[in-house]
Amino acid sequence: MTVSERLHAVGRPLLRAQLDHPTVAGIGRGDLAEPVFRSWLEQDYLFLLDYVRVFARLAWQAPDAHLGDLVDLAHTTFHDELSLHRTMPAEFGADLEGAVKGPACAAYTAFLLESAASYGEGLAALYPCMWGYSTLGRILAENPPVEPRYRAWVDTYADPGFAALTARIGQMIDEADPDPERAQALFTEGMAHELAFWDVP
């Protein structure tokens, strides 16, 4: 079993808790209360700005074969994934520029930025976000919400291009070959942060 396969095995039961979370379930049904999604949107915007910084920190350490991937991931996150957040604020009354990190966002980004000090470990730490959202998007897309704004959220994370980027991170983890126990511990901690993030302020 590769390191990424081991992480998937650990992650599947942990992902169930996210699917059952009221915020995710509400997005999936299309009836999540707007103030809750507005808060999530603001927090995730702040999170993704630091996620780009994590990719940049890892790119500085990356082997040549991974450098382009990390630059592409930083670019895609900043210009494509964040475009969802930039187009939705008016629809939900979100204030991205005035938003302040809540405790869950601050704890998660601090964990990621610290983990990125080590290349292979940093990849394992960031993997729960990409793998989790890609998997959630795929599952929710099997019965997508009718409400168009929440359907756009599902479509963003169910996109095959996002799944391909996620798969590439899995390959890069295997190629970086971090200590499996350490990778699993960081991945598990990242999954815990992912679950906590849904408890938006």
Side-chain angles (χ1 to χ4, degrees):
M1 183 181 288
T2 66
V3 175
S4 64
E5 288 171 342
R6 180 173 177 171
L7 300 183
H8 296 162
V10 169
R12 289 185 191 101
L14 299 175
L15 192 70
R16 183 75 252 171
Q18 292 191 53
L19 282 166
D20 292 339
H21 192 283
T23 302
V24 178
I27 291 172
R29 292 189 307 267
D31 63 3
L32 181 67
E34 290 194 5
V36 177
F37 191 79
R38 176 170 62 244
S39 182
W40 176 86
L41 191 66
E42 292 171 350
Q43 293 300 300
D44 202 54
Y45 174 78
L46 297 173
F47 170 85
L48 287 173
L49 291 176
D50 275 347
Y51 207 51
V52 172
R53 293 181 174 96
V54 171
F55 284 132
R57 188 173 191 190
L58 291 173
W60 185 80
Q61 307 170 63
D64 292 348
H66 293 182
L67 180 58
D69 294 290
L70 288 163
V71 171
D72 289 346
L73 282 161
H75 183 276
T76 298
T77 301
F78 190 82
H79 291 285
D80 295 343
E81 189 173 359
L82 275 168
S83 70
L84 173 74
H85 298 67
R86 296 186 182 107
T87 57
M88 283 188 154
E91 299 177 24
F92 288 93
D95 178 14
L96 300 185
E97 299 307 318
V100 177
K101 286 181 183 178
C105 182
Y108 196 3
T109 55
F111 161 73
L112 289 173
L113 288 163
E114 181 179 350
S115 298
S118 171
Y119 183 67
E121 293 184 2
L123 290 175
L126 70 80
Y127 195 46
C129 182
M130 292 195 68
W131 178 80
Y133 273 60
S134 178
T135 308
L136 288 174
R138 176 179 53 79
I139 292 171
L140 295 177
E142 294 172 1
N143 185 26
V146 174
E147 208 282 342
R149 296 171 300 175
Y150 294 130
R151 175 63 183 264
W153 187 97
V154 171
D155 289 346
T156 294
Y157 294 108
D159 185 271
F162 189 72
L165 291 173
T166 301
R168 177 56 184 148
I169 287 289
Q171 294 172 349
M172 290 163 64
I173 291 171
D174 293 335
E175 291 165 7
D177 196 28
D179 175 75
E181 295 294 333
R182 180 65 177 154
Q184 182 175 325
L186 288 164
F187 180 84
T188 302
E189 186 172 352
M191 289 295 288
H193 281 293
E194 283 290 313
L195 181 60
F197 201 91
W198 294 114
D199 292 326
V200 289

